[in-house]
């Protein structure tokens, strides 16, 4: 057998018919169900190559674009949003702290000649007298109900066994046991308490020991450095109504108490040239009368001569006028 490929004549390249090869090709063509479309197959192969080449080019272009573009930062990672989130967090913490923080101290103040009706958050009603100050201590209404008073005030307290209502007046403490009552402070550090309803406990440090008494409806008391003097059954229902309405009312009140109240209500000074007068007591009810009328009532009640000199009421023993003890 020759080394040259079958079907070609060596030398001139003229095809040579090989019977075996022809027979094989004829059999294969006959066995094929359809004629072979070589050009169509080649076209499909080229189309697929173009698609693959285009896909590779698109991927390379995308990679180059990603390398060229700046990195994208998530919205929550941007500095401005981090700052905003921090501020919101701080505001939230501050709001929680405000809700947990006990209320700050609060003061109510009146000027000479004016009173003020106050409703506290726990439902307690207060009539703060003229020239007076009521201070709710920090945390009032949460863990306690403690207040301090300078001057005078009428209280109708909403009772709370777990948080008793306690008033500090100088060195004296007046504690509600479910009631309505008046508290007055004098310049001489005397504290007058008058109970219209319920019970009140009064405690004050005396020279020897702390004194404590419980007053019932109708009782009055004066607390001082020497102890507590109780006057049982001296407070009437009409006096309680007058005090609740903001009227200046005295029932068997000492002149020291009267003097302080007149100064707050009228801005006047009560002057006495006789020390004996200071021990006397007054029962009177004033509803906005002029100062001359107030002086006349005091004079008739005490059995003395009362005259007005500017912003002073002067009390003197009057000849022939019996003075009440």
């Amino acid at each position: 057998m020759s080394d040259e490929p079958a079907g070609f004549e060596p030398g001139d390249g003229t095809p040579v018919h090989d019977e075996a090869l022809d027979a094989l090709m004829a059999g294969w063509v006959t066995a094929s169900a359809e004629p072979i479309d070589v050009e169509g197959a080649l076209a499909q192969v080229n189309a697929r190559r173009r698609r693959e080449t285009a896909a590779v080019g698109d991927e390379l272009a995308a990679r180059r674009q990603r390398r060229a573009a700046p990195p994208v930062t998530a919205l929550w990672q941007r500095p401005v949003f981090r700052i905003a989130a921090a501020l919101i967090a701080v505001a939230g913490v501050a709001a929680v702290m405000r809700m947990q923080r006990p209320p700050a101290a609060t003061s109510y103040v009146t000027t000479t000649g004016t009173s003020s009706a106050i409703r506290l958050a726990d439902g307690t009603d207060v009539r703060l007298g003229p020239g007076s100050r009521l201070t709710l201590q920090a945390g009032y209404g949460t863990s306690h109900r403690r207040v301090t008073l300078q001057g005078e005030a009428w209280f109708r307290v909403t009772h709370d066994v777990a948080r008793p209502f306690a008033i500090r007046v100088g060195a004296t403490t007046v504690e509600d046991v479910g009631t309505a009552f008046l508290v007055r402070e004098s310049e001489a550090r005397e504290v007058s308490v008058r109970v219209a309803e319920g019970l009140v406990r009064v405690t004050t440090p005396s020279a020897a020991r702390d004194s404590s008494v419980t007053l019932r409806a109708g009782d009055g008391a004066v607390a001082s450095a020497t102890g507590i003097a109780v006057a049982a059954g001296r407070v009437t229902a009409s006096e309680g109504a007058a005090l609740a309405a903001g009227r200046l009312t005295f029932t068997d009140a000492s002149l020291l108490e009267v003097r302080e109240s007149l100064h707050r209500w009228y801005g006047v000074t009560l002057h006495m040239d006789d020390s004996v007068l200071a021990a006397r007591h007054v029962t009177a009810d004033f509803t906005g009368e002029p100062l001359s009328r107030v002086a006349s009532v005091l004079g008739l009640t005490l059995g003395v001569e009362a005259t007005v000199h500017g912003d002073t009421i002067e009390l003197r023993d009057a000849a022939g006028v019996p003075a009440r003890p």
Side-chain angles (χ1 to χ4, degrees):
M1 188 173 177
S2 175
D3 292 333
E4 294 294 330
F8 290 87
E9 182 68 19
D12 59 3
T14 303
V16 178
H17 293 284
D18 190 326
E19 293 180 0
L21 179 61
D22 290 342
L24 181 61
M25 290 295 293
W28 182 76
V29 171
T30 303
S32 177
E34 296 179 358
I36 298 175
D37 185 0
V38 177
E39 294 182 356
L42 181 60
Q44 292 180 4
V45 171
N46 291 335
R48 186 177 64 183
R49 288 179 176 178
R50 285 195 296 271
R51 288 195 299 270
E52 291 177 352
T53 302
V56 172
D58 292 343
E59 176 64 21
L60 292 174
R63 290 182 180 180
R64 287 194 295 270
Q65 185 177 5
R66 284 196 294 270
R67 286 196 298 267
V72 179
T73 305
L75 186 64
W76 61 271
Q77 291 179 327
R78 297 179 183 177
V80 63
F81 287 97
R82 288 185 176 182
I83 295 173
L87 292 176
I88 292 173
V90 171
V93 172
V96 172
M97 291 181 64
R98 282 195 299 270
M99 288 188 293
Q100 296 177 344
R101 184 184 305 163
T106 303
S107 293
Y108 301 90
V109 181
T110 55
T111 57
T112 300
T114 62
S115 63
S116 178
I118 303 167
R119 167 65 66 90
L120 303 182
D122 59 6
T124 295
D125 289 318
V126 181
R127 169 70 69 170
L128 187 61
S132 301
R133 176 187 292 269
L134 177 71
T135 300
L136 311 185
Q137 296 184 20
Y140 179 91
T142 55
S143 58
H144 68 84
R145 293 193 301 166
R146 294 191 296 271
V147 305
T148 58
L149 173 67
Q150 295 172 294
E152 65 180 85
W154 167 263
F155 298 89
R156 185 178 295 278
V157 178
T158 298
H159 190 53
D160 185 344
V161 176
R163 297 175 300 178
F165 189 89
I167 309 162
R168 187 75 172 181
V169 193
T172 299
T173 299
V174 182
E175 185 176 343
D176 153 68
V177 194
T179 187
F181 55 95
L182 171 80
V183 179
R184 280 190 182 126
E185 179 189 28
S186 75
E187 190 177 29
R189 295 293 183 266
E190 288 186 351
V191 177
S192 174
V193 180
R194 308 188 70 78
V195 182
E197 300 174 12
L199 301 173
V200 168
R201 184 178 299 111
V202 180
T203 304
T204 191
S206 64
R209 64 187 183 280
D210 285 354
S211 296
S212 182
V213 299
T214 298
L215 306 178
R216 301 182 179 276
D219 291 346
V222 176
S224 64
T226 59
I228 302 174
V230 177
R234 295 293 184 89
V235 182
T236 64
S238 60
E239 179 183 358
L243 292 170
R247 290 161 52 186
L248 181 56
T249 301
F250 302 107
T251 301
D252 198 31
S254 70
L255 268 184
L256 291 177
E257 179 181 339
V258 172
R259 181 174 64 184
E260 296 300 322
S261 293
L262 287 178
H263 183 71
R264 286 190 290 265
W265 285 75
Y266 287 91
V268 298
T269 300
L270 192 61
H271 177 71
M272 296 165 284
D273 62 354
D274 188 349
S275 59
V276 176
L277 288 175
R280 298 183 183 179
H281 291 71
V282 174
T283 297
D285 185 4
F286 301 108
T287 56
E289 288 87 345
L291 195 55
S292 58
R293 174 61 179 167
V294 173
S296 298
V297 171
L298 287 177
L300 291 173
T301 302
L302 296 169
V304 299
E305 186 179 290
T307 56
V308 179
H309 301 283
D311 58 357
T312 301
I313 297 178
E314 186 175 352
L315 302 179
R316 295 180 301 177
D317 282 328
V321 177
R324 298 182 182 180

